[in-house]
Amino acid sequence: MTQSFDAIVVGAGQAGPSLAGRLAAAGMKVAIIERKLFGGTCVNTGCMPTKTLVASAYAAHLARRGADYGVSITSPIAIDMKRVKARADTVSTNARTNLETWLRGMDGLTVIEGHARFEGPDTIRVGNELLKASRIFLNVGGRASIPDMPGVDTVSYLTNRSILQLETLPRHLVVVGGSYIGLEFAQMYRRFGAQVTVVEKGPRLIAREDEDVSEAIRDILTAEGITVRTNATCIGFKPHADGVAVDVDCTSGEPVVVGSHVLLAVGRRPNTDDLGLDKAGVQVDARGTIVVDDTLATSVPGIWALGDCNGRGAFTHTAYNDYEIVTANLLDGASRRVSDRLLGYALYIDPPLGRVGMTETEARKTGRELLVSKRPMTRVGRAIEKDETKGFMKIVADADTKQILGAAILGTGGDEAIHGILDMMNAGANYPTLQWAVPIHPTVSELIPTVLGDLKPPG
């Protein structure tokens, strides 16, 4: 038996539910298919649980620093990992339950649980059911990529998903991968009390950022007792009596690191290998990413791909913006495009890194005449008052057009303060407009006009 719909949404991650709701509100008969956990990566294994854990780790860190603020804590700080995990689980469970309840109560929407596979360009099978629709939207997300490194299949390892199930503290956590996900877990578990080593194949951490940002983040982590091993040219794994032996073969230091636990954080891959995309004729690239155009349409008319599976953004907010683009074009007569999107993101170590637009390195490659300004957080009143003065603020602008090209705020509140710049860039305003704003004191954001006033040609 075949059920017919006006639209089918595959995946209940960040884009899928809102998309289903908008289509149903427009009078369409809609089905949404979810094979496991409603809410996708963000709710279940990404933003919500990890930032809840980051908050617990920050509380532990601040408690240890109580004396710096004149607060006497007479007993040693103890971490109850079961309670830490339970708190993160509660946050995720509540969000997932609320989302599922909302979807199941929606008029015009049918919720189907199971594994969706294409039978043709307009037909999807879920178990014994066949579903047909002229419009199909894929929001299937991604998962941790397991590297093809020697010995990886001979040892036990953790991913960003499985590490969330730990109820005991690792003795020594070895994080393979010195980028965003790996660094967040590294600092988090160090603050919980584990010994932590970060192993990165490249010459520095988070290589997509400017070198000064990368080095400042390394300094922040090492100051907390995290060992960072870069230039790890021959990473491999072997079972060891104390856990896992990780070959690093770095230019300095011991060639092998033995950890009780190993976290693999070397990238993500799309969940597209078991959808039967070939039966629909949907084009994918060598990594399995669904190829889309600037409106998120795939190679097959009537099929769109949103979120992590389309390779056009690996963030919750870009997935949601994908939904906004698709519905604006489909229902509102708009002509919105992914290429119009101004990318901002954050690294949630403490202090956080807020980023928008080009790095200074990227801006230099454009050949433009640049203006650059940088201010250490030691010269930001709010940071001094909080005694959290690590990091800096940096803005890059075009000397001719006066447009802000990009910014980095590595420091307390940096993930929020960056929006003052992001919003102005979205509005197309030049930097003198923001320079003459009158921000609130005492905040981190109040220094943005000051930083803009110090813009100079780079030395």
Side-chain angles (χ1 to χ4, degrees), residues 175-257:
V175 179
V176 179
S179 196
Y180 305 89
I181 293 174
L183 298 187
E184 289 178 20
F185 278 110
Q187 187 187 53
M188 179 197 307
Y189 272 89
R190 178 59 187 155
R191 289 182 168 187
F192 289 150
Q195 181 182 350
V196 177
T197 299
V198 175
V199 178
E200 166 56 40
K201 187 175 183 179
R204 58 187 179 89
L205 302 176
I206 50 172
R208 71 183 289 178
E209 305 298 341
D210 283 329
E211 190 168 350
D212 56 354
V213 172
S214 175
E215 289 306 310
I217 287 171
R218 181 171 185 154
D219 290 344
I220 288 167
L221 298 178
T222 56
E224 293 193 20
I226 296 170
T227 301
V228 177
R229 302 292 300 274
T230 49
N231 292 305
T233 53
C234 295
I235 301 174
F237 307 89
K238 296 184 183 71
H240 190 279
D242 293 327
V244 179
V246 183
D247 297 324
V248 292
D249 192 25
C250 298
T251 54
S252 62
E254 294 296 324
V256 178
V257 176

Side-chain angles (χ1 to χ4, degrees), residues 326-446:
V326 168
T327 53
N329 294 344
L330 189 63
L331 302 177
D332 301 333
S335 56
R336 297 184 62 179
R337 298 182 176 275
V338 179
S339 57
D340 296 331
R341 180 157 66 204
L342 175 64
L343 184 60
Y345 56 90
L347 165 66
Y348 288 99
I349 61 165
D350 172 43
L353 168 68
R355 275 275 295 110
V356 64
M358 296 182 189
T359 63
E360 181 182 353
T361 303
E362 291 169 337
R364 286 176 182 268
K365 291 178 180 178
T366 68
R368 307 181 198 214
E369 293 293 325
L370 301 181
L371 299 172
V372 180
S373 180
K374 185 174 175 180
R375 186 180 189 89
M377 296 301 287
T378 53
R379 296 175 60 204
V380 175
R382 184 61 180 273
I384 295 169
E385 293 149 9
K386 295 178 71 177
D387 196 12
E388 296 180 356
T389 55
K390 295 176 181 177
F392 57 83
M393 309 169 73
K394 182 166 71 168
I395 300 175
V396 182
D398 187 306
D400 296 322
T401 67
K402 310 300 182 187
Q403 295 293 306
I404 301 173
L405 300 178
I409 302 180
L410 172 62
T412 181
D415 55 328
E416 291 286 352
I418 196 68
H419 288 89
I421 300 171
L422 187 153
D423 292 343
M424 294 299 287
M425 292 176 69
N426 265 311
N430 58 26
Y431 75 77
T433 302
L434 180 56
Q435 185 179 346
W436 289 104
V438 183
I440 296 169
H441 172 81
T443 61
V444 174
S445 297
E446 73 170 313

Side-chain angles (χ1 to χ4, degrees), residues 286-335:
R287 294 186 63 252
T289 302
I290 298 173
V291 177
V292 295
D293 66 13
D294 214 16
T295 65
L296 301 168
T298 71
S299 57
V300 178
I303 301 178
W304 292 259
L306 303 85
D308 292 5
C309 66
N310 66 22
R312 303 299 289 270
F315 305 101
T316 295
H317 49 281
T318 53
Y320 189 82
N321 185 237
D322 286 354
Y323 141 71
E324 293 177 312
I325 291 170
V326 168
T327 53
N329 294 344
L330 189 63
L331 302 177
D332 301 333
S335 56

Side-chain angles (χ1 to χ4, degrees), residues 63-326:
R64 291 189 186 101
R65 293 191 61 208
D68 295 342
Y69 298 90
V71 178
S72 297
I73 300 175
T74 56
S75 301
I77 298 302
I79 306 296
D80 185 339
M81 285 303 297
K82 287 188 176 182
R83 289 189 64 184
V84 168
K85 177 183 181 297
R87 180 172 172 270
D89 288 346
T90 297
V91 169
S92 290
T93 299
N94 289 346
R96 182 170 63 247
T97 300
N98 291 339
L99 176 62
E100 185 175 353
T101 300
W102 174 64
L103 289 171
R104 291 190 183 280
M106 189 180 298
D107 292 336
L109 178 65
T110 300
V111 176
I112 299 172
E113 294 187 74
H115 189 153
R117 293 182 176 88
F118 278 98
E119 295 274 310
D122 64 350
T123 306
I124 288 178
R125 176 178 294 279
V126 183
N128 295 324
E129 297 183 76
L130 283 179
L131 317 176
K132 292 180 71 74
S134 58
R135 300 183 182 95
I136 296 176
F137 305 88
L138 304 176
N139 178 222
V140 295
R143 62 188 187 275
S145 178
I146 306 304
D148 184 20
M149 292 176 174
V152 71
D153 56 347
T154 68
V155 299
S156 297
Y157 56 79
L158 300 166
T159 66
N160 71 293
R161 176 187 289 269
S162 59
I163 196 172
L164 298 177
Q165 302 308 311
L166 292 182
E167 291 187 334
T168 57
L169 187 67
R171 176 185 57 79
H172 183 181
L173 177 66
V174 179
V175 179
V176 179
S179 196
Y180 305 89
I181 293 174
L183 298 187
E184 289 178 20
F185 278 110
Q187 187 187 53
M188 179 197 307
Y189 272 89
R190 178 59 187 155
R191 289 182 168 187
F192 289 150
Q195 181 182 350
V196 177
T197 299
V198 175
V199 178
E200 166 56 40
K201 187 175 183 179
R204 58 187 179 89
L205 302 176
I206 50 172
R208 71 183 289 178
E209 305 298 341
D210 283 329
E211 190 168 350
D212 56 354
V213 172
S214 175
E215 289 306 310
I217 287 171
R218 181 171 185 154
D219 290 344
I220 288 167
L221 298 178
T222 56
E224 293 193 20
I226 296 170
T227 301
V228 177
R229 302 292 300 274
T230 49
N231 292 305
T233 53
C234 295
I235 301 174
F237 307 89
K238 296 184 183 71
H240 190 279
D242 293 327
V244 179
V246 183
D247 297 324
V248 292
D249 192 25
C250 298
T251 54
S252 62
E254 294 296 324
V256 178
V257 176
V258 177
S260 60
H261 297 70
V262 171
L263 170 65
L264 299 181
V266 295
R268 306 277 292 170
R269 61 175 296 183
N271 293 327
T272 58
D273 47 330
D274 55 2
L275 291 177
L277 294 175
D278 54 331
K279 291 186 178 181
V282 174
Q283 182 183 355
V284 297
D285 66 14
R287 294 186 63 252
T289 302
I290 298 173
V291 177
V292 295
D293 66 13
D294 214 16
T295 65
L296 301 168
T298 71
S299 57
V300 178
I303 301 178
W304 292 259
L306 303 85
D308 292 5
C309 66
N310 66 22
R312 303 299 289 270
F315 305 101
T316 295
H317 49 281
T318 53
Y320 189 82
N321 185 237
D322 286 354
Y323 141 71
E324 293 177 312
I325 291 170
V326 168

Side-chain angles (χ1 to χ4, degrees), residues 32-56:
I32 187 167
I33 305 166
E34 175 53 55
R35 66 174 168 180
K36 196 167 186 181
L37 299 176
F38 289 80
T41 297
C42 178
V43 168
N44 297 289
T45 62
C47 316
M48 298 194 78
T50 60
K51 276 49 182 182
T52 305
L53 293 174
V54 165
S56 292

